Amino acid sequence: MKWPAPTQRLDALVVGAGLGGLCMIHLLRAEGLSVKGVERAGGVGGTWYWNRYPGCRCDVESIDYSYQFSEELQQDWAWTERYAAQPEILAYAEHVATRFALHPLIQLETGVRRARWDDERQRWLVETDRGDVFDTRFLIMATGCLSAANTPAFPGRDEFAGRTFHTGLWPQDGVDFTGRRVGVIGTGSSGIQVIPFLAQQAAELTVFQRTANFSVPARNRPVDPDEVARVKASYADHRRRARQQPAAFGPDHPRHSDSVLAATPEERRRRFEEHWQLGGFMFLGAFGDIVLSEEANWHAAEFVRGKIRAIVADPATAELLCPKGIIGCKRLCADSGYYETFNRDNVRLVDVSAHPIERFTATGLVTGGTEHALDDVVFATGFDAMTGSLLRIDIRGRDDLSLADKWAAGPLTYLGLMVSGFPNLFTMTGPGSPSVLANLVTGVEQHAEFIRDLIAWLRAEDAVAVEAGIEAERDWVHTVNVRSERTLYPRCNSWYLGANVPGKPRVFMPYVGFPDYTAKLDTIRLGRFPGFELRCQPGRAT
Ligand code: NAP
């Protein structure tokens, strides 16, 4: 397809104005680059713009889930809750965009359709759905890891006469479910957060569960002013210690390295109970081998199943809610009253593993030959994670190679940051980086700083393009695979593996090991970017 003439020339175009894009735009402008952001939403905030469903909140503590690039910002901003709710994080993103004067650089309601590398001019052409054609030296994809909503193609879906919603595309003005018969499909983190809220409003709530998930109470509460004062007195030190943690948060969380299997039954129970009370991800810190050994994992899983049986009054419902698999293999959920919700008279659990959803009708949906009458359906069916938001754009690198073809058997990257064959294209928290396995604000900031430094190096060398070397990419993909194989992660059907999207290659996408990754980036930076190859202006030697 022919390309129209460019409408704007830039040094850098950043796609996405979530927490990654905002930080990237800020850092590149400070380098003196002409930079612009495009964002398909009507405001900044990314994930936190779209996921407005009731109950949506972060599962990383607010003191950690925030930027560290500005000491003034981190001192000034005051979180109200231990785990910030969506409106507060969205307000934070807005505050950052205003405080650092980023709004004028961001074009909203603009989605990127296609991008093509022009090897002769060593520049990208990028076309949007608003008719812009950007001619840019650098193209930074800050499109998010969990931003391409996934709605399964249920037969007859269009026949349904009621209202439908996806948790990841929630209406801006909210939804009133009072007096309605509501169905929720999906019991991942989003489903587990929204279900208690829907149950309070709806006349009847039917939860369609395919796979039971492990959830630990989040134990959200207002922030403790003394704790905040302590952290703020030496925030830089808190951040430094957080970066040394497996998931880049909670440097003061109790974390044990001993084996479940070495503990006596009493000690196991005591330790699991203590970490259950701490809440959320902290549960997995009870012992050192919960996500490494299947036998150790079984004890942790059995403890949680015991909790579910104790909370849920109806034994048959409790059994259905008890997950069979490995705890922590899929992303552990953090809830506020999820299991308790099934003790309400207006809530019903339907197992769709035994009898999958056959089809929608005008008035509901059918499972195992039974029609469930519904006014509204909420899809909490997740995302085409990590690669979805990139592959929904037609991206073509050198020799017209498409990213979709390059990644046909699974994503290939160097450090999750660059792809061989795609010069000057950067993927923030891309597959092959710790991304979704670590605090994502720290992750995007780390990538924004590295991309800034890589571009600064390129400019200092008087080069115009940088690209991941093919061998560096191959070695890195191997490292990522070896890392995940040492864990229990590949053993379940998670979105980390793309297993939730029919036809998606089954490859474990994130890199396990945030602290090692940080050290690796530091070494690469100090060593003048081995694995990255520079190209000078055409006609000049490298
Ligand atoms: P998800 O974890 O992928 O869960 C999707 C759910 O939909 C699963 O229960 C899945 O069942 C079900 N499902 C998908 N297709 C189905 C079908 N055809 N029939 C029946 N059920 C179907 O998605 P999510 O809950 O949106 O969470 C995604 C990630 O976003 C989380 O893991 C987390 O990283 C992030 N998130 C974080 C928070 C937080 O910070 N607290 C909140 C929300 C989301 P199966 O398991 O059987 O596939």
Side-chain angles (χ1 to χ4, degrees):
M1 212 209 304
K2 223 174 145 324
W3 278 76
T7 53
Q8 216 179 119
R9 195 177 157 90
L10 297 165
D11 291 327
L13 181 72
V14 178
V15 184
L19 294 175
L22 292 178
C23 179
M24 190 77 257
I25 295 168
H26 175 62
L27 294 190
L28 291 182
R29 181 183 53 189
E31 291 290 293
L33 268 67
S34 64
V35 55
K36 177 157 188 164
V38 286
E39 165 58 59
R40 74 188 158 103
V44 301
T47 280
W48 303 104
Y49 177 93
W50 295 105
N51 287 267
R52 292 172 188 240
Y53 59 85
C56 180
R57 69 174 65 248
C58 191
D59 55 6
V60 172
E61 286 161 299
S62 49
I63 203 84
D64 286 310
Y65 193 84
S66 49
Y67 291 121
Q68 46 196 295
F69 67 78
S70 159
E71 180 61 16
E72 293 76 22
L73 170 66
Q74 66 181 5
Q75 290 296 336
D76 290 352
W77 185 263
W79 297 102
T80 63
E81 291 180 279
R82 179 188 188 190
Y83 295 102
Q86 174 271 333
E88 192 164 24
I89 306 176
L90 186 60
Y92 176 71
E94 267 294 336
H95 171 81
V96 169
T98 304
R99 182 176 186 130
F100 297 99
L102 302 174
H103 283 298
L105 301 180
I106 299 165
Q107 184 173 318
L108 299 173
E109 294 178 342
T110 305
V112 169
R113 277 209 178 121
R114 55 180 182 144
R116 194 199 72 185
W117 174 249
D118 180 341
D119 207 41
E120 245 168 60
R121 297 187 313 118
Q122 306 277 296
R123 296 179 68 86
W124 282 95
L125 281 177
V126 182
E127 188 181 47
T128 76
D129 55 10
R130 300 271 293 250
D132 315 277
V133 179
F134 295 105
D135 176 346
T136 182
R137 176 73 71 204
F138 304 107
L139 177 58
I140 299 109
M141 306 303 290
T143 42
C145 298
L146 293 157
S147 48
N150 171 48
T151 308
F154 295 111
R157 226 200 82 184
D158 294 342
E159 285 167 32
F160 181 59
R163 303 182 299 179
T164 58
F165 307 95
H166 191 289
T167 49
L169 296 169
W170 203 257
Q172 300 298 300
D173 300 329
V175 186
D176 186 5
F177 292 100
T178 309
R180 318 255 314 167
R181 294 166 305 173
V182 181
V184 181
I185 304 173
T187 53
S189 296
S190 305
I192 280 174
Q193 284 189 332
V194 79
I195 284 165
F197 285 82
L198 295 177
Q200 286 166 29
Q201 252 192 26
E204 290 169 20
L205 181 70
T206 310
V207 177
F208 298 92
Q209 173 189 274
R210 187 166 66 182
T211 312
N213 239 316
F214 288 98
S215 187
V216 175
R219 306 207 188 279
N220 185 37
R221 52 167 167 74
V223 290
D224 170 355
D226 293 340
E227 187 190 337
V228 172
R230 202 176 53 247
V231 171
K232 286 193 172 179
S234 53
Y235 225 142
D237 180 59
H238 177 93
R239 301 293 198 181
R240 184 187 55 73
R241 291 183 300 113
R243 284 195 296 275
Q244 289 161 2
Q245 304 306 315
F249 63 83
D252 300 319
H253 288 172
R255 241 178 230 112
H256 299 274
S257 55
D258 56 332
S259 169
V260 179
L261 305 174
T264 61
E266 295 72 34
E267 175 56 11
R268 264 181 218 145
R269 169 149 284 282
R270 194 198 63 72
R271 190 85 70 75
F272 283 139
E273 182 62 38
E274 185 186 314
H275 282 253
W276 175 265
Q277 294 303 332
L278 290 169
F281 288 125
M282 274 189 258
F283 181 73
L284 296 178
F287 288 94
D289 51 357
I290 294 177
V291 293
L292 299 176
S293 145
E294 210 155 336
E295 198 185 344
N297 191 279
W298 181 87
H299 289 281
E302 195 54 15
F303 177 87
V304 176
R305 287 189 281 264
K307 287 287 185 191
I308 297 169
R309 291 179 186 120
I311 296 169
V312 179
D314 173 47
T317 304
E319 267 338 286
L320 270 182
L321 286 167
C322 281
K324 308 279 179 294
I326 294 166
I327 184 167
C329 183
K330 289 187 172 185
R331 168 100 163 196
L332 184 65
C333 302
D335 71 276
S336 300
Y338 175 65
Y339 295 118
E340 290 82 350
T341 299
F342 292 90
N343 292 334
R344 295 176 65 106
D345 291 340
N346 67 334
V347 177
R348 214 161 50 90
L349 183 64
V350 174
D351 174 18
V352 295
S353 63
H355 303 291
I357 297 168
E358 287 162 30
R359 62 193 157 85
F360 275 68
T361 64
T363 50
L365 58 81
V366 179
T367 66
T370 305
E371 177 163 7
H372 306 270
L374 300 168
D375 301 314
D376 301 318
V377 174
V378 172
F379 293 98
T381 44
F383 302 89
D384 182 352
M386 303 199 72
T387 54
S389 60
L390 293 165
L391 296 181
R392 286 179 186 191
I393 301 170
D394 180 15
I395 302 176
R396 288 173 187 268
R398 268 192 294 114
D399 305 321
D400 207 34
L401 174 66
S402 85
L403 190 62
D405 285 345
K406 165 109 188 182
W407 286 3
L412 307 171
T413 70
Y414 180 37
L415 300 165
L417 271 162
M418 290 201 87
V419 183
S420 175
F422 295 79
N424 289 2
L425 175 82
F426 303 92
T427 51
M428 291 188 81
T429 57
S433 72
S435 58
V436 292
L437 295 182
N439 176 354
L440 266 164
V441 185
T442 304
V444 292
E445 221 174 327
Q446 178 180 61
H447 270 189
E449 286 171 2
F450 192 86
I451 293 166
R452 174 201 59 195
D453 295 348
L454 200 48
I455 290 176
W457 170 63
L458 171 154
R459 294 169 92 204
E461 296 289 327
D462 207 17
V464 288
V466 59
E467 183 179 340
I470 188 75
E471 286 199 1
E473 179 181 273
R474 200 181 50 218
D475 291 350
W476 183 250
V477 170
H478 176 71
T479 304
V480 173
N481 292 339
V482 168
R483 266 310 171 101
S484 69
E485 281 156 18
R486 283 191 210 150
T487 71
L488 299 177
Y489 282 125
R491 304 214 195 155
C492 60
N493 292 324
S494 68
W495 57 258
Y496 295 138
L497 283 156
N500 61 326
V501 176
K504 191 165 173 172
R506 192 182 171 97
V507 174
F508 190 80
M509 294 182 282
Y511 176 76
V512 185
F514 181 82
D516 300 351
Y517 181 82
T518 302
K520 173 96 182 158
L521 290 191
D522 289 345
T523 308
I524 289 178
R525 207 187 248 115
L526 281 173
R528 295 173 65 75
F529 302 98
F532 292 98
E533 296 167 2
L534 290 182
R535 277 206 259 159
C536 287
Q537 291 281 11
R540 290 187 48 164
T542 6

